[in-house]
Amino acid sequence: MGVVTVPEHRFVISLGCPDRTGIVARISSFVAEHGGWIVEAGYHTDPQTGWFFTRQEVRADSLPFGVDELRRRFAAVAAELGEQTRWQVTDTGERRRVVILASKEGHCLHDLLGRIASGELDVDLRAVISNHEHLGPITRAHGIPFHHVPFPSNAEGKATAFKTVQQLVDEHSPHAIVLARFMQILPPELCEAWEGRAINIHHSFLPSFAGARPYHQAYERGVKLVGATCHYVTAELDAGPIIEQDVIRVDHTDTVESMIRKGRDIEKIVLARGLRAHLEDRVLVYGRRTVVF
């Protein structure tokens, strides 16, 4: 048997604020004052907006207190950096809760279930919710609760269905709501309620070919690359801050069907990468853009 490596327990400090001299020194000195051991750190300044971003991991066992006390003490440091400062402190010891929304196409769900079952993606998958029953058997085979919520074609029926979905999701207070080819457009109120937690995989290299049937759009334009985009969900369709993207080459011999087949491979990889980055608190959002450490 191989040796099982237990991830080191860490606290993650992430912060964005208007840039100025001394930010790195202030954060580092704060951690050092309490005996903290920084094991990973990333920094970025956006010259156009003048904003500074950082993500730092601190060994939990190097501090004389827990994450709640760290948050309380770091709040004073954040206040010194200005009222516009956006920050959070998270604990890698807290297992991340995830709910997946899906429809008929199962390639992204199959991929995530496999990664979770193998331990590659260590998350607490609480439920899979779908507007079709197709993916119920595979979900239950993995021991995950499956909820079928039909979506009528009329507006009133859809509104009721979304309320049911929201109730099923919110009871778990998930860190991430993953739209794994969920072929329904979230209403604005859900986009707002799940802001920064709802993650979508779109089957094109955005901003190209947004909306429906992107592979068909790409085929008509004779593109030589097709891709996928993992992004946060906003009320503006397929326009949320981008977390991860990738592409695969196609050529004049490809049909729409072969482009779809190739694209599915990229969709799975991009969604898994994007979800991992989100759950590891590597994504800092500002406006329509992101910094991904």
Side-chain angles (χ1 to χ4, degrees):
M1 292 179 64
V3 177
V4 177
T5 303
V6 179
E8 187 177 65
H9 186 195
R10 301 179 180 184
F11 298 141
V12 179
I13 301 171
S14 52
L15 176 145
C17 67
D19 197 14
R20 64 176 175 83
T21 301
I23 299 174
V24 174
R26 181 67 188 96
I27 297 173
S28 300
S29 63
F30 164 79
V31 175
E33 286 167 9
H34 301 292
W37 186 345
I38 297 173
V39 291
E40 182 181 327
Y43 307 97
H44 174 69
T45 295
D46 184 339
Q48 291 188 328
T49 62
W51 269 69
F52 169 83
F53 303 90
T54 185
R55 177 189 181 276
Q56 306 197 22
E57 293 190 10
V58 181
R59 279 182 53 168
D61 63 2
S62 69
L63 293 171
F65 41 71
V67 69
D68 291 334
E69 181 64 13
L70 176 58
R71 290 190 185 108
R72 189 187 72 79
R73 297 190 184 207
F74 189 78
V77 177
E80 293 175 22
L81 300 177
E83 61 181 17
Q84 290 181 280
T85 299
R86 302 194 301 264
W87 64 278
Q88 67 174 7
V89 175
T90 56
D91 184 350
T92 64
E94 180 185 4
R95 200 152 178 253
R96 297 310 179 93
R97 298 177 300 279
V98 174
V99 173
I100 296 176
L101 308 184
S103 290
K104 287 184 178 180
E105 294 195 47
H107 54 287
C108 287
L109 176 63
H110 281 258
D111 182 72
L112 292 177
L113 289 173
R115 292 175 191 270
I116 293 169
S118 68
E120 177 189 333
L121 192 58
D122 183 22
V123 301
D124 180 7
L125 179 55
R126 294 294 185 90
V128 173
I129 304 167
S130 178
N131 56 324
H132 295 279
E133 297 188 56
H134 297 64
L135 300 174
I138 185 63
T139 301
R140 296 187 185 100
H142 281 263
I144 307 299
F146 180 83
H147 303 281
H148 174 222
V149 180
F151 271 67
S153 58
N154 61 82
E156 183 179 350
K158 280 194 175 185
T160 300
F162 270 121
K163 286 181 180 178
T164 301
V165 170
Q166 183 174 17
Q167 291 172 353
L168 290 170
V169 169
D170 288 351
E171 70 180 43
H172 300 292
S173 299
H175 297 91
I177 303 103
V178 182
L179 279 66
R181 295 302 301 271
F182 181 60
M183 307 306 288
Q184 296 289 331
I185 299 173
L186 295 188
E189 58 270 19
L190 269 189
C191 295
E192 182 179 354
W194 295 343
E195 182 181 5
R197 293 186 295 149
I199 297 172
N200 183 50
I201 183 67
H202 183 70
H203 40 309
S204 78
F205 193 79
L206 293 172
S208 299
F209 310 128
R213 296 165 66 85
Y215 289 119
H216 292 76
Q217 296 181 56
Y219 177 80
E220 291 298 326
R221 291 297 303 273
V223 302
K224 306 309 177 194
L225 295 169
V226 293
T229 303
C230 178
H231 65 92
Y232 289 111
V233 177
T234 62
E236 185 179 356
L237 182 64
D238 296 332
I242 292 171
I243 305 170
E244 178 63 57
Q245 292 182 296
D246 207 342
V247 295
I248 190 169
R249 183 163 291 280
V250 295
D251 63 26
H252 60 278
T253 65
D254 277 293
T255 63
V256 171
E257 290 73 23
S258 64
M259 290 170 67
I260 290 174
R261 175 178 52 79
K262 292 178 179 180
R264 283 174 175 162
D265 291 339
I266 297 299
E267 293 168 36
K268 293 184 288 188
I269 293 170
V270 168
L271 180 57
R273 286 179 189 163
L275 177 59
R276 182 181 296 278
H278 169 79
L279 295 175
E280 292 181 354
D281 300 305
R282 296 187 178 277
V283 187
L284 280 69
V285 177
Y286 63 112
R288 299 180 68 178
R289 301 179 65 189
T290 58
V291 171
V292 183
F293 287 110

